[in-house]
């Protein structure tokens, strides 16, 4: 364990020295990192025939992964030292703690002043939801929720203040693990290109918590001491029964629901129409059949009008404000839908909803392979 702690201490110090912040105004060590490692990273990539498209170290890139590999190799040299080095531990704890405080304050203040998530530009605002990628969607939605963004930033700043003082540092570290893990999950889920950096911040927090293991153990015993000393089988059985009763009641709707979220709503575009009397024709551009039991018509002005489905077999009966409109279904297969109403024939073709960018966007470990 001593050897692992030695390696972790040196590795985290090297990370703090050489890994740039993923923000342009805080990349003060970028030049130093490029000066020391850029040629080594390029040479290593060439030897292994790895293509480096983006030679930067402040986001999830192949170059950053190779840099971390170098830092791990350098740190591993201290495996030859078996003795505990309290001075290195104390120094690493101090530096990494203030580093964590600085990062949390940086991101927290960026959110408090509503700078991290700028308002989406007009091209994003006028884009269809489905054609956007997941990271752009997340960034845009948070930009439109300034109160939420402010509160998240305020929470990060509060955690930084808790870390600053010794008496509240352990509590701050617990909150830091929760906050940084939440951020890491978001980065993975929405393919935001600071996954590696956020994971390194979690490692720093865990390193800090390791030195509080004795206090954590005492705290755990204190919290659970009454339960451990005074077991009550009947009370435990009743609580267990109530818990499973709650879970059973609440999961019934999900177990009985035959509809799968993986099944997309049917979407069609109007391929053509013919009418005996054009004045009775519907202004339709697209038609959407929703799993919730509604049909939505999109007209040529891109307005959406929804109707509740009353009947859907050989006829499609729709209700809107107590008015019933009925279409005769002339044909329906996996590629097309033909409807007839008031002497008008509407021929619809299927839209491949599941091929939209919002669904086909895949998570990337490295930004070099983002297309």
């Amino acid at each position: 364990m001593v050897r692992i702690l030695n390696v972790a201490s040196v590795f985290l110090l090297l990370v703090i020295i050489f890994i740039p912040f993923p923000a342009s105004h805080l990349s003060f060590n970028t030049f130093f990192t490029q000066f020391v490692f850029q040629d080594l990273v390029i040479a290593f990539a060439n030897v292994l025939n790895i293509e480096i498209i983006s030679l930067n170290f402040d986001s999830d890139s192949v170059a950053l992964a190779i840099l971390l590999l170098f830092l791990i190799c350098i740190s591993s040299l201290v495996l030859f030292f078996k003795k505990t080095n309290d001075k290195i531990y104390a120094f690493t704890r101090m530096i990494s703690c203030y580093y964590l405080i600085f990062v949390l304050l940086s991101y927290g203040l960026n959110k408090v002043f509503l700078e991290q998530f700028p308002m989406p530009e007009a091209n994003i605002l006028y884009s269809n939801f489905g054609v956007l990628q997941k990271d752009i969607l997340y960034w845009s939605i948070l930009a439109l929720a300034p109160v939420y963004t402010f509160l998240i930033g305020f929470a990060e700043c509060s955690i930084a203040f808790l870390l600053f003082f010794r008496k509240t540092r352990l509590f701050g570290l617990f909150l830091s693990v929760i906050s940084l893990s939440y951020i890491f999950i978001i980065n993975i889920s929405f393919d935001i290109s600071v996954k590696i950096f956020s994971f390194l911040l979690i490692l720093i927090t865990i390193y800090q918590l390791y030195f509080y293991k004795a206090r954590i153990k005492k705290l755990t015993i204190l919290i659970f001491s009454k339960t451990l000393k005074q077991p009550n089988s009947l009370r435990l059985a009743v609580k267990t029964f109530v818990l499973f009763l709650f879970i059973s009641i609440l999961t019934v709707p999900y177990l009985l629901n035959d509809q799968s979220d993986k099944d997309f709503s049917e979407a069609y575009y109007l391929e053509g129409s013919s009418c005996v009397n054009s004045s009775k024709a519907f202004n339709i551009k697209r038609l959407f059949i929703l799993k919730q039991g509604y049909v939505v018509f999109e007209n040529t002005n891109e307005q959406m009008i929804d109707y509740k489905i009353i009947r859907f077999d050989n006829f499609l009966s729709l209700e809107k404000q107590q008015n019933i409109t009925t279409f005769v279904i002339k044909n329906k297969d996996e590629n097309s839908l033909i409807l007839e109403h008031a002497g008008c024939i509407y021929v619809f073709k299927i839209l491949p909803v599941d091929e939209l960018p919002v669904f086909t966007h895949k998570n990337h470990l490295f930004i070099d392979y983002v297309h």
Side-chain angles (χ1 to χ4, degrees), residues 4 21 34 36 41 81 85 104 113 130 139 150 155 163 179 213 215 221 234 249 252 260 321 340:
I4 295 175
F21 283 105
Q34 290 177 342
V36 176
V41 167
F81 298 95
N85 196 322
L104 286 169
F113 289 101
W139 226 253
F150 173 86
L163 292 175
S179 175
K213 60 183 184 294
R215 289 179 61 182
I221 294 173
L234 180 60
I249 293 171
V252 166
S260 172
Q321 296 177 350
E340 180 184 2

Side-chain angles (χ1 to χ4, degrees), residues 123-124 126-133 136-137 356-359:
N123 65 310
I124 300 297
Y126 281 93
S127 295
N128 291 327
F129 182 95
V131 302
L132 297 174
Q133 295 184 341
I136 298 175
L137 279 171
L356 288 170
V358 72
F359 292 117

Side-chain angles (χ1 to χ4, degrees), residues 189-320:
S189 303
F190 289 92
D191 197 29
I192 299 171
S193 61
V194 284
K195 296 181 282 290
I196 295 176
F197 184 73
S198 56
F199 180 71
L200 291 173
L201 294 178
I202 294 174
L203 290 182
I204 291 174
T205 309
I206 294 173
Y207 177 85
Q208 290 285 329
L209 281 170
Y210 173 81
F211 295 97
Y212 288 92
K213 60 183 184 294
R215 289 179 61 182
I216 294 172
K217 184 178 180 180
K218 290 180 180 179
L219 185 62
T220 304
I221 294 173
L222 180 64
I223 293 172
F224 295 101
S225 59
K226 291 184 179 181
T227 306
L228 294 173
K229 290 179 181 178
Q230 301 175 3
N232 189 319
S233 301
L234 180 60
R235 181 182 298 177
L236 179 62
V238 171
K239 285 187 174 181
T240 304
F241 172 76
V242 171
L243 177 61
F244 278 100
L245 181 63
F246 286 169
I247 293 173
S248 300
I249 293 171
L250 294 173
T251 54
V252 166
Y254 305 104
L255 297 175
L256 297 179
N257 186 7
D258 295 330
Q259 292 180 334
S260 172
D261 288 336
K262 295 180 181 179
D263 297 330
F264 299 110
S265 304
E266 291 182 330
Y268 300 89
Y269 69 93
L270 183 67
E271 184 181 52
S273 63
S274 60
C275 287
V276 176
N277 187 350
S278 60
S279 63
K280 295 184 179 181
F282 275 82
N283 179 9
I284 305 174
K285 179 181 177 182
R286 296 188 184 97
L287 180 151
F288 307 97
I289 302 174
L290 309 186
K291 288 181 292 185
Q292 294 85 353
Y294 286 86
V295 165
V296 176
F297 291 114
E298 180 186 0
N299 61 29
T300 53
N301 297 322
E302 298 185 350
Q303 294 175 323
M304 301 279 191
I305 304 174
D306 62 280
Y307 295 82
K308 183 175 179 58
I309 298 175
I310 305 299
R311 179 182 177 185
F312 193 7
D313 41 40
N314 294 327
F315 298 89
L316 177 60
S317 296
L318 307 173
E319 187 267 335
K320 180 74 172 178

Side-chain angles (χ1 to χ4, degrees), residues 15-28:
V15 164
I16 293 169
I17 293 170
F18 290 106
I19 302 298
F21 283 105
S24 57
H25 68 292
L26 293 176
S27 299
F28 46 81

Side-chain angles (χ1 to χ4, degrees), residues 19-34 57-59 102:
I19 302 298
F21 283 105
S24 57
H25 68 292
L26 293 176
S27 299
F28 46 81
N29 57 345
T30 301
F31 176 79
F32 180 58
T33 303
Q34 290 177 342
F57 302 104
D58 57 0
S59 56
F102 187 77

Side-chain angles (χ1 to χ4, degrees), residues 309-342:
I309 298 175
I310 305 299
R311 179 182 177 185
F312 193 7
D313 41 40
N314 294 327
F315 298 89
L316 177 60
S317 296
L318 307 173
E319 187 267 335
K320 180 74 172 178
Q321 296 177 350
Q322 299 182 343
N323 295 319
I324 305 297
T325 303
T326 300
F327 293 85
V328 178
I329 299 179
K330 306 295 288 185
N331 180 66
K332 185 182 187 303
D333 55 42
E334 59 183 22
N335 295 314
S336 63
L337 174 67
I338 301 176
L339 302 178
E340 180 184 2
H341 173 73

